[in-house]
Amino acid sequence: MAEVRALNNLERDALREVANIGAGHAATALSQMTGRTIMINVPEVEIRRLEEVAELVGAPDTVIAAILMHMMGDLTGRTMVLLPDPSARVLCDILLQRKVGTTTGYAAMEHSTLKETGNILSSAYLNALSDFMGMMLLPSVPSLVVDLAGAVLTTAYLNFGAERDFVFCVDTSFRVEGASETLHGQFLLLPDLPSLHAIFDAIRLD
């Protein structure tokens, strides 16, 4: 799969447009949940090996919230939404409509909120990809892990790296009305090998 990273500009633009559409759908859904305007920017879509994703997340001892889902339907694989701990806490406060700084840990309510956030983001990106490819893609029920980035990514690599060499990384920035800081996260699509080939067949524009 050495050709995977050898995308031309039009093909990269196609991937980025799919991600932008997904981000727009996710922003609309989150805005409806909170009653606040939420903008989600997609500065870049990168294709990396799973073991290289750590460079985007930060130091191995960085605490992150990882929302994991299976991708089912015409394509199969996994999705992960990675949120640095500070962004995850602020998102909990915003989505639960309470003062920013209230969340100090992750109890049942915070777990449910983050899983719903991951569900919204993953579903929006998968729906955009589904429309682009003309295929049916369905997300599973989300699960949540809050742990050190190194532990989360090592587990993901050990469980899925052998069959999912390349990962689509969508670096995502949230701008929330009334919040003073920009929040960050990553959406990762980990397709299995046949699905990876199908995605690249769909975006080959020459």
Side-chain angles (χ1 to χ4, degrees):
M1 296 295 292
E3 77 278 7
V4 162
R5 301 198 207 195
L7 297 177
N8 63 40
N9 288 336
L10 285 176
E11 291 162 349
R12 290 186 180 278
D13 286 346
L15 275 181
R16 193 169 188 275
E17 181 58 24
V18 171
N20 274 321
I21 291 170
H25 293 330
T28 298
L30 291 173
S31 295
Q32 290 172 345
M33 280 180 61
T34 61
R36 299 194 197 189
T37 299
I38 296 179
M39 303 294 292
I40 300 180
N41 293 334
V42 180
E44 195 55 71
V45 180
E46 298 193 45
I47 302 161
R48 295 193 174 218
R49 292 189 181 277
L50 182 55
E51 62 267 29
E52 297 172 352
V53 172
E55 300 171 17
L56 301 176
V57 177
D61 59 353
T62 301
V63 176
I64 62 172
I67 303 97
L68 317 173
M69 301 172 70
H70 288 280
M71 176 176 65
M72 302 174 292
D74 293 327
L75 301 179
T76 53
R78 290 279 292 230
T79 69
M80 299 176 67
V81 174
L82 307 180
L83 299 168
D85 182 55
S87 292
R89 293 183 186 220
V90 172
L91 273 176
C92 283
D93 288 335
I94 291 169
L95 294 172
L96 293 171
Q97 300 186 19
R98 58 197 187 190
K99 183 179 178 182
V100 172
T102 301
T103 299
T104 57
Y106 299 102
M109 183 67 74
E110 287 76 19
H111 273 241
S112 177
T113 299
L114 289 175
K115 285 194 283 188
E116 181 58 20
T117 301
N119 182 45
I120 288 171
L121 287 167
S122 291
S123 296
Y125 285 127
L126 288 183
N127 285 339
L129 184 61
S130 176
D131 291 343
F132 175 75
M133 298 187 66
M135 294 182 174
M136 181 180 69
L137 303 179
L138 299 171
S140 71
V141 174
S143 60
L144 171 70
V145 176
V146 179
D147 204 339
L148 301 181
V152 171
L153 294 174
T154 297
T155 300
Y157 180 72
L158 292 175
N159 288 341
F160 312 112
E163 295 183 357
R164 295 166 176 80
D165 248 22
F166 288 93
V167 182
F168 296 87
C169 307
V170 182
D171 194 48
T172 302
S173 299
F174 303 80
R175 289 183 296 161
V176 182
E177 177 186 9
S180 59
E181 57 187 299
T182 300
L183 309 179
H184 297 279
Q186 285 85 28
F187 169 77
L188 307 182
L189 176 64
L190 297 77
D192 58 24
L193 194 55
S195 298
L196 180 68
H197 282 291
I199 292 170
F200 278 95
D201 286 343
I203 65 169
R204 293 296 181 191
L205 303 176
D206 52 10

